[in-house]
Amino acid sequence: MRGRDDGRRLGVAELGGELGERATLVQFSSAFCAPCRATRRILGEVAGVVPGVAHVEIDAEAHLDLVRDLEILKTPTVLVLDAGGRVVRRATGQPRKADVIAALGEAV
């Protein structure tokens, strides 16, 4: 997981869900994206075992303004947010579980 978004912050209004107490994994997906399903499973597992971490999935096609604003170019794209909603990491494609856990280390 790599990339930065220069301190961009996201909140409940943009995400449509609550931020995690320690970090939030935000996944942009689309309906016919096979890697999105695997990414949903991986992020859900990580959120289930790391205390204070939430997983929020956003349908890219239904949130085009946010997709454009964040320059999301493909799905899945995963953003890692810290407790305040600041984007600390970004990755495209299906992540490895170990990489997600490592990226969370920077957020918490």
Side-chain angles (χ1 to χ4, degrees):
M1 311 237 0
R2 57 197 175 282
R4 296 197 172 271
D5 281 83
D6 299 324
R8 172 69 195 262
R9 289 187 185 275
L10 299 174
V12 174
E14 293 92 354
L15 301 178
E18 292 293 322
L19 290 171
E21 187 179 305
R22 297 174 63 206
T24 305
L25 301 168
V26 180
Q27 174 184 348
F28 286 86
S29 298
S30 52
F32 299 104
C33 164
C36 293
R37 289 189 290 279
T39 299
R40 177 183 312 120
R41 182 182 48 75
I42 291 165
L43 298 183
E45 288 173 7
V46 171
V49 297
V50 181
V53 174
H55 171 221
V56 176
E57 186 171 5
I58 296 175
D59 179 351
E61 295 162 5
H63 296 88
L64 289 176
D65 287 342
L66 183 59
V67 164
R68 287 186 194 105
D69 190 37
L70 293 171
E71 299 178 9
I72 306 294
L73 302 176
K74 63 183 268 191
T75 57
T77 292
V78 177
L79 306 179
V80 179
L81 312 182
D82 67 10
R86 185 174 58 91
V87 178
V88 295
R89 278 280 184 246
R90 164 190 291 248
T92 57
Q94 181 181 327
R96 293 181 326 142
K97 188 187 258 186
D99 293 336
V100 174
I101 292 169
L104 281 173
E106 188 170 331
V108 297

